[in-house]
Amino acid sequence: MNKDDFKQTLIKQYSESIEEIIVESESVYRSHIDYNELDFRVRSLIKAARVDGLEETVIWDLLEHRVPDYINYLSGMKIAA
């Protein structure tokens, strides 16, 4: 397995992990995502990704693709702070 294959495998694994943490952060019959809960889990996921050698931007790109409202939520928090 070369470096690119390894990276693609990691991306696939982290993509699946993102799906899991999104589901775990959902409430009210999957109609609402608790962004605070999701944020806590994402921070842990990013730490693990760094240890595995995956850039943080890859995780954010996956999240932006899957949950764009979460990215908007984070942007709004930065503006309010």
Side-chain angles (χ1 to χ4, degrees), residues 8 10-11 15 27 29 40 45 47 50 54 59-61 67 72 74 76 79 81:
Q8 288 305 313
L10 277 178
I11 291 171
S15 181
S27 61
Y29 302 104
F40 176 77
L45 189 70
K47 288 178 185 176
R50 285 183 188 150
L54 196 60
I59 300 299
W60 288 116
D61 289 344
V67 191
N72 294 337
L74 292 176
I79 292 171

Side-chain angles (χ1 to χ4, degrees), residues 19-76:
E19 288 298 321
E20 288 177 27
I21 65 172
I22 290 170
V23 169
E24 292 170 357
S25 300
E26 290 176 330
S27 61
V28 190
Y29 302 104
R30 302 185 77 181
S31 66
H32 174 73
I33 296 175
D34 180 343
Y35 290 131
N36 290 323
E37 177 70 23
L38 180 60
D39 192 53
F40 176 77
R41 293 174 184 265
V42 165
R43 301 297 171 180
S44 297
L45 189 70
I46 288 172
K47 288 178 185 176
R50 285 183 188 150
V51 169
D52 286 339
L54 196 60
E55 302 89 13
E56 182 176 340
T57 56
V58 172
I59 300 299
W60 288 116
D61 289 344
L62 291 169
L63 283 162
E64 185 172 22
H65 176 73
R66 178 58 178 83
V67 191
D69 288 342
Y70 170 61
I71 303 302
N72 294 337
Y73 167 79
L74 292 176
S75 297

